[in-house]
Amino acid sequence: MLDNNANNIENIENPENNPQNFIISIVEQDLKCGTYKSRLDKNNKPLPDIITRFPPEPNGYLHIGHAKSICLNFGLAQRYNGRCHLRFDDTNPEKESQEFADDIQNAVEWLGFWNKNNTEHLYYASDYFDILYEFAEILIKQNLAYVDSQTGEQIKLNRGSLIHGGIESPYRNRKAEENLQIFQGMREGKYTEGTHVLRAKIDMSSPNINMRDPIIYRIKYAHHHRSGDKWCIYPMYDYTHCISDALENITHSICTLEFEDHRPLYNWILEKLKDAKALPEILPKQYEFARLNLHYALTSKRKILQLIQNNIVDGWNDPRLATLAGIRRRGYSPSSIKLFCERIGVAKADSWIDYSVLEQALRDDLDPIVPRLTAVLKPLKLIIDNMADDYAELCSAAVNPHNQEQGKRNFTLSKELWIEQDDFMPEPSKGFFRLFVGNKVRLRHGFVVECTGYDVDSNNSVIAVHVNYFEDSKSGTEGSNNYKVKGNIHWVDAKNSTEIQVNLYNHLFTDPQPDANGKNFLELINPNSKTIAYAYLENSDISNSIKNEMQIQFERHGYFVKDIQSTEQNTIFNRITLLKDSKHK
Ligand code: ATP
Ligand code: MG
């Protein structure tokens, strides 16, 4: 362990201190020891004892994996009265854009950790290009960096492998003065791409390949979305990241496990710059946690982009994608995502999270608060033969049975209703308690009815079911309990309902780990990931007040959200998830 703070080691090695989140133990230990106490910023203002950052590259939209990192970094800052920076790690000009940067801010704001109108702690790595350049000159002057003029291929070849050490470049011992001169020439655009790179002078025989004189600057004639054409050399990620952390006085630089082998380089660069008095005494430290791998979800911007480019989904906010834009459109609430992140915890070892954990977080979040409505997704006509044509009974039901304060909703019941096709069987199978000829069921919040017959079309498909109702069986009235029925079905009034479109989503892939072990996720697409139902929705005071992006529960079906493309003429709902985990159904 490279950590130079002995107190931390004890905690990292003893995850029992906080099995749900080992980073909390580290932070608490640092607070207790005063590791970052009494620091001042460059204007002599006191700094918080905990400063974290979320550092996305603006090269795509954020996904559920990023949510884990956002909740962790912003969550720690909230919990310990610190602060969290949003920093765009924008050093790859060709892949990045302002559009992505804006959308990332939207996503973090949606999660409740950001306010686009207060950008005090919004940072861009590209704002450090000048200082990063100055620091590179410091390293050159100290003989800790040199310009290498081998070809890219030679550099790669001479880096060696896990078994063989690297071979030192013939340019490794160039004099500092010559290095400075060429480096300045690189900046001035005197050379073509690939002719020179700047490398840190560390150790070509290190067992850690990252320490074999890593490249820290390369020539690239690319327009940058913020710095324009000012630069034709760009710093590499490893060099930029640690320095950005130090410049922002970050205390805990938390990243995913694949950066564990980069930590020695992170520390090397910062230590050398500290020794040169370019950086303060107290430096940030890197900690690694396991990335989120979620079943049926791709957590890679590059792979998500492939789905979009191949027209497998309808853009970044397709409700089947695990992008935050997609998850939001699908109907997940920010609090359900936070609950999910809390439940999965922060561990040191990679693992897969079952998709049902995400769905359950949503149910637990929505169940106590969202209104209930009735919708019939596969409509079949039910005719109450012993009811007058012009009769309408006013029925009511709780908006949310867990919270009577939300009141009641009112809707009508009349002679012709819509029920679900699945709630009727001409020839009932064993254990089927709903409608079949001779059986009685309760129409939820309404009457008990007895099935007397059904109509079929020329294909022998059932097109209508006939029943008689019992006037004294109305739900909630005295004596209604005298009717003992096993089935309880939902319905909407055919005369008083709204036709709606319902998008029924299923997993996008047929395999829970579509991109693991070299699998080609493009060959594992579920052809039934989206089906459209034309359904009927109750007409009630509540159903008429549902705005776009509001979540509701359709009784007996699950949780739904009114889609952002919904209009008054065309009401669209997306199914977020079923009422219960389908595996346990
Ligand atoms: P992608 O491969 O999708 O581009 P990335 O890691 O390159 O992902 P960045 O924009 O560089 O994306 O990531 C910003 C932050 O989010 C980083 O600190 C990274 O560690 C974290 N992050 C990215 N993916 C995950 C994940 N699946 N689980 C947890 N954290 C993640
Ligand atoms: Mg990246």
Side-chain angles (χ1 to χ4, degrees):
M1 171 115 348
L2 276 159
D3 254 288
N4 50 17
N5 183 337
N7 293 318
N8 282 347
I9 295 174
E10 180 190 305
N11 272 281
I12 297 167
E13 287 176 355
N14 186 8
E16 280 83 346
N17 286 352
N18 194 328
Q20 263 300 91
N21 185 333
F22 75 97
I23 292 184
I24 283 186
S25 313
I26 294 171
V27 168
E28 289 189 351
Q29 194 67 27
D30 280 331
L31 285 172
K32 211 164 105 190
C33 303
T35 315
Y36 300 98
K37 219 174 147 225
S38 313
R39 296 180 309 158
L40 299 174
D41 70 8
K42 56 180 188 298
N43 303 319
N44 277 334
K45 283 217 189 96
L47 285 161
D49 294 354
I50 298 296
I51 308 182
T52 55
R53 86 287 170 265
F54 172 63
E57 184 178 353
N59 63 348
Y61 291 78
L62 297 185
H63 51 65
I64 185 80
H66 293 111
K68 178 175 178 182
S69 178
I70 294 169
C71 290
L72 175 59
N73 282 297
F74 282 92
L76 282 171
Q78 267 178 2
R79 185 174 171 141
Y80 296 105
N81 238 338
R83 76 181 188 223
C84 180
H85 296 180
L86 175 58
R87 181 200 312 143
F88 289 112
D89 201 339
D90 55 348
T91 53
N92 275 316
E94 285 151 327
K95 294 195 223 144
E96 298 158 0
S97 75
Q98 194 57 44
E99 179 203 346
F100 291 135
D102 291 344
D103 193 80
I104 288 172
Q105 284 198 64
N106 288 339
V108 185
E109 183 166 74
W110 175 67
L111 280 174
F113 291 116
W114 192 248
N115 175 355
K116 273 186 294 179
N117 298 321
N118 175 5
T119 51
E120 191 187 347
H121 294 297
L122 176 65
Y123 301 84
Y124 290 86
S126 55
D127 287 348
Y128 306 136
F129 281 165
D130 283 306
I131 198 159
L132 288 162
Y133 180 85
E134 271 173 44
F135 283 5
E137 288 199 334
I138 292 175
L139 293 179
I140 294 173
K141 285 180 196 154
Q142 307 251 339
N143 253 320
L144 294 168
Y146 62 97
V147 173
D148 194 354
S149 310
Q150 297 182 98
T151 65
E153 224 145 277
Q154 282 169 330
I155 292 177
K156 213 167 141 193
L157 206 71
N158 292 341
R159 268 185 107 191
S161 64
L162 288 175
I163 314 159
H164 300 287
I167 298 168
E168 291 190 357
S169 163
Y171 303 97
R172 198 172 196 264
N173 293 317
R174 257 181 176 149
K175 294 271 169 306
E177 227 159 90
E178 189 187 349
N179 282 320
L180 265 185
Q181 202 186 351
I182 308 175
F183 188 52
Q184 281 160 7
M186 284 164 67
R187 177 190 185 162
E188 286 158 14
K190 286 192 183 152
Y191 308 108
T192 52
E193 281 183 21
T195 48
H196 305 288
V197 291
L198 187 70
R199 298 179 74 174
K201 197 171 183 176
I202 310 181
D203 178 6
M204 286 307 287
S205 61
S206 169
N208 182 343
I209 294 183
N210 295 297
M211 298 298 272
R212 293 182 194 164
D213 293 8
I215 295 172
I216 58 178
Y217 262 96
R218 79 274 199 216
I219 301 172
K220 197 167 269 280
Y221 290 90
H223 182 84
H224 188 281
H225 72 102
R226 297 189 79 245
S227 60
D229 295 313
K230 179 173 173 192
W231 294 90
C232 60
I233 55 171
Y234 289 97
M236 302 298 283
Y237 172 86
D238 279 327
Y239 176 72
T240 311
H241 199 84
C242 56
I243 295 175
S244 307
D245 282 347
L247 293 173
E248 292 175 24
N249 300 297
I250 300 301
T251 55
H252 300 77
S253 176
I254 306 165
C255 60
T256 41
L257 275 183
E258 63 270 26
F259 289 97
E260 195 166 10
D261 288 347
H262 297 235
R263 187 174 358 117
L265 177 55
Y266 184 103
N267 291 337
W268 186 92
I269 294 170
L270 293 189
E271 288 292 336
K272 296 300 174 203
L273 289 167
K274 181 179 93 173
D275 294 345
K277 306 272 180 260
L279 288 176
E281 277 300 303
I282 300 172
L283 295 171
K285 267 192 227 141
Q286 174 181 308
Y287 301 93
E288 307 86 20
F289 70 102
R291 56 182 286 118
L292 168 65
N293 296 308
L294 179 65
H295 280 165
Y296 299 104
L298 291 185
T299 46
S300 153
K301 294 181 214 139
R302 184 178 54 81
K303 290 176 187 169
I304 295 171
L305 183 63
Q306 274 179 274
L307 292 175
I308 296 163
Q309 286 170 338
N310 284 290
N311 290 323
I312 291 166
V313 293
D314 309 324
W316 283 103
N317 67 348
D318 187 295
R320 290 165 293 181
L321 286 179
T323 53
L324 291 183
I327 280 176
R328 173 178 182 174
R329 181 148 179 215
R330 176 70 169 262
Y332 279 89
S333 55
S335 38
S336 68
I337 301 300
K338 288 188 216 168
L339 183 60
F340 168 71
C341 290
E342 217 169 277
R343 286 181 179 171
I344 59 175
V346 178
K348 261 264 181 216
D350 270 323
S351 66
W352 281 83
I353 303 292
D354 200 88
Y355 198 81
S356 62
V357 181
L358 179 63
E359 294 181 309
Q360 195 51 42
L362 180 89
R363 293 185 194 107
D364 292 342
D365 182 47
L366 297 189
D367 183 43
I369 48 176
V370 299
R372 272 53 171 167
L373 293 177
T374 309
V376 172
L377 303 188
K378 275 198 280 171
L380 172 65
K381 192 57 84 59
L382 182 94
I383 303 167
I384 307 175
D385 289 314
N386 64 341
M387 189 172 271
D389 286 352
D390 57 355
Y391 184 76
E393 175 80 19
L394 194 65
C395 302
S396 70
V399 174
N400 183 318
H402 302 308
N403 182 358
Q404 296 302 333
E405 276 175 24
Q406 290 189 41
K408 301 251 177 215
R409 59 191 217 267
N410 300 306
F411 42 89
T412 57
L413 179 153
S414 57
K415 187 177 178 79
E416 293 198 358
L417 308 176
W418 293 113
I419 61 164
E420 297 289 346
Q421 287 168 20
D422 294 347
D423 283 337
F424 173 77
M425 283 184 101
E427 283 156 39
S429 54
K430 201 166 165 263
F432 183 79
F433 298 120
R434 287 163 281 158
L435 275 176
F436 53 89
V437 176
N439 196 36
K440 291 194 193 84
V441 299
R442 176 168 291 285
L443 299 174
R444 285 190 137 199
H445 320 300
F447 296 101
V448 170
V449 294
E450 178 169 11
C451 185
T452 55
Y454 59 93
D455 304 331
V456 292
D457 64 9
S458 53
N459 296 323
N460 224 16
S461 300
V462 178
I463 50 167
V465 176
H466 291 269
V467 295
N468 284 326
Y469 84 113
F470 299 93
E471 248 179 86
D472 56 350
S473 66
K474 172 99 185 275
S475 294
T477 61
E478 208 177 312
S480 64
N481 285 344
N482 295 338
Y483 290 85
K484 297 286 176 229
V485 292
K486 283 193 174 161
N488 188 323
I489 68 172
H490 67 273
W491 52 275
V492 298
D493 191 339
K495 253 203 286 193
N496 189 16
S497 56
T498 310
E499 217 183 316
I500 58 171
Q501 176 185 324
V502 181
N503 298 325
L504 300 169
Y505 293 110
N506 282 308
H507 294 311
L508 188 54
F509 302 100
T510 51
D511 186 313
Q513 302 181 2
D515 60 340
N517 310 321
K519 281 180 268 188
N520 180 358
F521 59 91
L522 292 172
E523 289 169 3
L524 297 168
I525 304 294
N526 173 9
N528 301 315
S529 61
K530 177 181 180 180
T531 48
I532 295 179
Y534 293 94
Y536 291 100
L537 176 67
E538 74 177 39
N539 240 346
S540 65
D541 12 13
I542 294 295
S543 69
N544 295 324
S545 66
I546 303 293
K547 301 210 167 46
N548 289 4
E549 290 211 86
M550 270 174 71
Q551 292 99 344
I552 39 113
Q553 186 195 99
F554 286 160
E555 291 189 12
R556 292 180 71 215
H557 280 303
Y559 294 94
F560 293 73
V561 68
K562 200 162 178 184
D563 189 70
I564 44 171
Q565 283 183 354
S566 194
T567 61
E568 245 173 66
Q569 292 72 34
N570 186 22
T571 309
I572 308 171
F573 283 90
N574 298 324
R575 181 169 71 199
I576 321 172
T577 183
L578 298 170
L579 272 190
K580 288 204 178 74
D581 193 346
S582 51
K583 272 188 270 177
H584 305 303
K585 239 177 143 180

